[in-house]
Amino acid sequence: VIGAGHAGCEASLAAARMGKKTLMLTMSLDAIAMMACNPNIGGTGKGHLVREIDALGGQMALITDKSMIQFKMLNTSKGPAVHSLRAQADKRKYHVNMKQVIENEKNLDLKQAEAISIDVENGSVKGVLTRTGGYYEADAVIICTGTYLKGRIYIGEVNYEGGPSGLFPANALSQSLKENGILLKRFKTGTPARVNRDSIHLDKMELQEGDKDIVPFSFMTESINIDQIPCYLTYTNESTHHIIRQNISRSPMYAGHMESVGPRYCPSIEDKVVKFSDKSKHQIFVEPEGLDTKEMYIQGFSTTLPEEVQLQMYQSVEGLEDCQIMRPAYAIEYDCIDPTQLKRTLEIKMIENLYFAGQVNGSSGYEEAAGQGLVAGINAVLKLNGKEQIILDRSEAYIGVLIDDLVTKGTDEPYRMMTSRAEYRLVLRQDNADLRLTEKGYGAGLVKEDRMVRYLEKKEILEKEISRLKHTIMTPKPEINSYLLKMDSVPMKSAQSLYELLKRPELNYDKLADIDINRPELTKSIIMQIETQIKYEGYIAKQFKQIEQFKKLENKKIPEDVDYNEIKGLRIEAKQKLSRIMPDSLGQASRISGVSPADINVLMIYMEQKKRLRESNE
């Protein structure tokens, strides 16, 4: 595994835990699981990814639970489908905890070395060459290089070769990938400045405290009891915007020095001021980077303006008037691959046993990287063992949506996961990730017995309690109806089960406690799942019908040796797109931009004709 960021960590641990002798190469041992940008894990859509990583047997959630300093459940005013966990993490603690896990994994060797070349023979990967002349034979290689490939840092008029957080770039590996026929793209991302806590006036900012009740990220964590550290909220103002407009020509983005594409959903402050010129202020969150540092992360203030301009505009913000910048904001340009060259297993199509995961695939974010790393690690081992690789489809996991979007549609900007990208989000909730994926992880060989036992116990409790609620009948006795009126609910005219009563929007599991004499002791997470399953039963059933339709196309597999140029009736654009993407199913083919429903019908008829011909020959 090349790279020790969030993708590399999950890929390495998965491969080692599934029994393969694994080597992790990293430019610096101090960069393992580094949070080069924001000091948090989770968030809208991303919290779902972390839960899914955990359910499949990954590590990110467990490390987050050990490293968090503040917790929030986002979107609680909306439906359960978009509830998302988010934690502020202690950056240093996250790195230390992950490094310890990696060092203690018996099948995993860790080495500080720069990979400069991939050795490929007869269309299959054979090994990796390092800068110091080391050669490592490998049955499979997973590339998780993040933003290091030919990294270039931009701060105003200054730009130079560099990796994230002052580390070295990886300049040689890109050339090796090109020589092996892999198409590269150029993307960029950025990060705001870090300022000294002692130099800012927190009393002038709005306090942002964590939730009282902490919900662990990992299904294996019983509970979390910590003294949470607050964050703070302040705003830019007209003075800030004036400074930015005056100096906009000194931004390398606006001066035309950077041609690469940045993340749409994490714009720089210059972009915000230019594109949303009607807004008089923008939110700025001030977040601690850890318990043992005075560095504060200034979220929402990413910029590529010169250092002296950064100081001016930061100091124009209320509470930051005297701030001292410890690390300036910067943008980083880097090489990544065109992800449409990948199969949905994350193996590249033209080189056998070579996998890619994380930001090198054109995504952004720690969580997106970790999810891909986990899938790449699992699949590399399954393939070497001669077993069927796992493909998580769009109806099974947010990880499936992420990978399918990247390899089927490609991306022209760093991809970010959001709940709106998932068509079946009422089924793909963060609270039921274990029910969706634990058995898959167990079948692959990554989920161990202790997790499987806990999962089966939870599943049994849920099924048993839902059955009890269905079979516990309430009759319209005066005392029952009086209680319902007290709860602002309509009295019963005929007998109803507790299950039916729970469908009423004004009632919940706890409100029925006084009339439910046989109620068992259950955890909050199980109660929430029960309520969600009951209250949204009709919608969930409707979504499962949609998934059935989706599966019909998804299960129609396309032979690997199909020649699309042979198929009469396909439009030229469809032939070109299908030949390039090489979809593995009619479902995936239907999601390729430029392939129409008419093309899918032609392809379906062609496949049916081939099937009949094959059967008649047999």
Side-chain angles (χ1 to χ4, degrees):
V1 178
I2 299 172
H6 302 280
C9 289
E10 296 294 346
S12 299
L13 287 167
R17 288 167 176 172
M18 289 172 71
K20 291 295 179 190
K21 190 69 176 168
T22 305
L23 172 67
M24 177 193 265
L25 298 176
T26 174
M27 299 270 289
S28 169
L29 293 180
D30 297 326
I32 292 170
M34 180 176 69
M35 292 179 163
C37 195
N38 51 314
N40 62 65
I41 296 289
T44 305
K46 292 168 175 277
H48 293 66
L49 289 172
V50 181
R51 273 287 178 89
E52 291 177 355
I53 291 162
D54 185 65
L56 286 164
Q59 194 64 36
M60 178 174 258
L62 289 161
I63 299 297
T64 303
D65 287 345
K66 284 185 177 180
S67 312
M68 72 167 66
I69 57 177
Q70 193 197 83
F71 170 85
K72 278 192 176 183
M73 182 73 79
L74 305 183
N75 300 327
T76 51
S77 62
K78 300 176 183 176
V82 295
H83 292 180
S84 296
L85 301 87
R86 182 183 187 274
Q88 290 296 130
D90 183 314
K91 281 189 173 184
R92 182 69 186 164
K93 200 172 175 183
Y94 191 98
H95 155 77
V96 168
N97 286 335
M98 185 67 87
K99 188 167 182 273
Q100 285 177 346
V101 169
I102 288 165
E103 288 174 342
N104 291 327
E105 190 60 49
K106 64 179 180 180
N107 282 328
L108 182 54
D109 291 329
L110 180 59
K111 189 173 183 68
Q112 182 167 296
E114 180 188 351
I116 63 168
S117 180
I118 306 298
D119 183 23
V120 178
E121 289 179 23
N122 301 319
S124 183
V125 73
K126 293 297 177 186
V128 175
L129 180 69
T130 67
R131 182 169 292 283
T132 53
Y135 179 82
Y136 298 92
E137 288 183 28
D139 294 322
V141 173
I142 306 172
I143 296 180
C144 309
T145 47
T147 61
Y148 283 83
L149 290 184
K150 294 188 79 174
R152 179 164 286 273
I153 303 296
Y154 288 83
I155 304 173
E157 295 88 355
V158 176
N159 67 82
Y160 54 90
E161 291 181 350
S165 291
L167 296 168
F168 289 112
N171 286 332
L173 188 56
S174 288
Q175 187 58 36
S176 175
L177 298 179
K178 284 181 185 176
E179 288 169 359
N180 281 293
I182 297 170
L183 296 174
L184 299 183
K185 306 175 82 162
R186 197 81 173 145
F187 276 179
K188 73 172 173 63
T189 187
T191 190
R194 276 48 158 197
V195 305
N196 190 315
R197 183 188 179 97
D198 291 347
S199 69
I200 58 182
H201 305 286
L202 298 174
D203 56 329
K204 292 185 177 182
M205 302 178 189
E206 297 174 28
L207 192 67
Q208 302 286 299
E209 294 186 294
D211 292 351
K212 186 179 178 183
D213 296 321
I214 299 175
V215 179
F217 273 82
S218 176
F219 293 103
M220 298 298 286
T221 304
E222 292 286 353
S223 62
I224 298 173
N225 296 300
I226 56 169
D227 293 327
Q228 296 188 64
I229 306 300
C231 298
Y232 302 86
L233 173 63
T234 184
Y235 299 87
T236 62
N237 52 54
E238 286 296 349
S239 176
T240 317
H241 300 178
H242 178 68
I243 294 166
I244 292 166
R245 290 190 193 102
Q246 270 193 321
N247 293 278
I248 199 75
S249 63
R250 299 184 68 190
S251 164
M253 289 189 300
Y254 285 89
H257 302 312
M258 296 178 76
E259 295 179 6
S260 51
V261 184
R264 178 189 301 264
Y265 300 103
C266 192
S268 67
I269 193 67
E270 299 98 283
D271 267 354
K272 290 180 190 175
V273 169
V274 171
K275 292 176 181 175
F276 307 103
S277 55
D278 57 317
K279 289 192 175 289
S280 60
K281 63 180 183 179
H282 294 281
Q283 286 186 331
I284 301 295
F285 288 94
V286 180
E287 303 170 341
E289 295 238 305
L291 300 176
D292 301 316
T293 179
K294 292 187 176 179
E295 287 184 77
M296 301 290 277
Y297 179 87
I298 313 300
Q299 189 194 132
F301 227 155
S302 178
T303 181
T304 55
L305 286 165
E307 203 167 346
E308 71 274 16
V309 178
Q310 289 184 30
L311 188 60
Q312 285 178 46
M313 65 187 195
Y314 274 57
Q315 290 186 344
S316 70
V317 171
E318 187 172 16
L320 297 177
E321 297 90 345
D322 301 306
C323 76
Q324 295 171 6
I325 291 178
M326 297 175 76
R327 303 188 201 216
Y330 65 87
I332 181 169
E333 266 189 339
Y334 55 95
D335 284 349
C336 58
I337 70 165
D338 180 342
T340 61
Q341 297 167 101
L342 300 171
K343 300 175 185 177
R344 286 198 287 176
T345 58
L346 295 182
E347 182 183 22
I348 203 151
K349 293 164 189 168
M350 66 280 287
I351 301 171
E352 196 165 5
N353 297 333
L354 179 61
Y355 293 76
F356 287 78
Q359 282 189 261
V360 73
N361 286 346
S363 64
S364 68
Y366 312 141
E367 304 84 358
E368 288 92 335
Q372 292 172 68
L374 185 69
V375 169
I378 290 171
N379 281 335
V381 174
L382 290 175
K383 185 173 184 193
L384 294 178
N385 288 344
K387 294 182 179 178
E388 185 180 351
Q389 298 177 76
I390 64 165
I391 293 175
L392 299 171
D393 70 40
R394 302 182 72 88
S395 69
E396 292 175 312
Y398 271 75
I399 296 173
V401 174
L402 160 69
I403 293 172
D404 187 64
D405 279 351
L406 287 171
V407 307
T408 305
K409 302 173 185 176
T411 183
D412 294 324
E413 62 192 33
Y415 177 98
R416 176 181 175 180
M417 176 48 67
M418 296 175 290
T419 51
S420 59
R421 296 195 190 272
E423 305 93 312
Y424 310 113
R425 56 185 172 272
L426 190 52
V427 171
L428 306 183
R429 305 186 310 276
Q430 50 88 21
D431 64 271
N432 70 353
D434 55 341
L435 300 178
R436 291 186 277 117
L437 298 172
T438 302
E439 289 182 43
K440 271 191 177 289
Y442 186 72
L446 184 57
V447 166
K448 304 306 178 191
E449 290 297 330
D450 57 341
R451 182 181 288 273
M452 193 62 184
V453 166
R454 182 174 290 206
Y455 156 74
L456 290 172
E457 286 173 354
K458 177 182 174 180
K459 190 179 176 186
E460 186 182 355
I461 290 168
L462 275 169
E463 290 170 353
K464 191 174 177 181
E465 180 57 5
I466 285 175
S467 175
R468 185 189 73 83
L469 291 168
K470 282 181 177 178
H471 293 95
T472 303
I473 307 300
M474 295 284 111
T475 55
K477 294 177 183 177
E479 61 269 27
I480 299 291
N481 280 337
S482 173
Y483 185 77
L484 290 174
L485 285 167
K486 188 179 167 185
M487 294 292 112
D488 296 321
S489 193
V490 179
M492 292 189 296
K493 291 182 180 178
S494 58
Q496 282 185 295
S497 67
L498 286 173
Y499 187 93
E500 289 299 321
L501 285 174
L502 267 173
K503 287 187 177 181
R504 299 186 180 190
E506 68 276 7
L507 297 178
N508 60 34
Y509 193 84
D510 287 336
K511 282 184 178 179
L512 292 178
D514 287 353
I515 59 172
D516 183 7
I517 56 172
N518 294 316
R519 168 189 163 115
E521 282 291 322
L522 299 175
T523 63
K524 284 184 179 179
S525 64
I526 286 180
I527 290 170
M528 184 183 174
Q529 276 194 34
I530 289 167
E531 287 183 351
T532 301
Q533 284 188 40
I534 293 172
K535 288 185 180 295
Y536 292 87
E537 182 185 40
Y539 297 104
I540 291 170
K542 187 178 178 182
Q543 196 142 97
F544 274 121
K545 283 184 179 177
Q546 293 169 344
I547 289 169
E548 274 179 42
Q549 291 300 115
F550 163 80
K551 290 278 192 185
K552 283 179 183 176
L553 278 183
E554 212 64 21
N555 291 334
K556 290 187 186 295
K557 299 301 179 185
I558 301 173
E560 284 187 20
D561 60 353
V562 65
D563 184 351
Y564 293 102
N565 292 311
E566 269 186 4
I567 305 175
K568 292 175 183 177
L570 279 182
R571 294 173 309 111
I572 291 172
E573 183 185 4
K575 287 179 179 180
Q576 292 171 344
K577 295 280 181 72
L578 289 164
S579 297
R580 185 166 65 87
I581 304 294
M582 293 299 291
D584 54 37
S585 70
L586 279 177
Q588 188 186 3
S590 70
R591 294 188 293 277
I592 298 172
S593 174
V595 176
S596 70
D599 295 318
I600 295 300
N601 283 334
V602 170
L603 187 54
M604 200 182 296
I605 292 165
Y606 169 82
M607 286 170 60
E608 187 61 33
Q609 288 172 341
K610 283 283 186 183
K611 181 184 172 187
R612 286 178 184 174
L613 183 64
R614 189 169 59 250
E615 286 172 353
S616 65
N617 288 337
E618 287 171 358

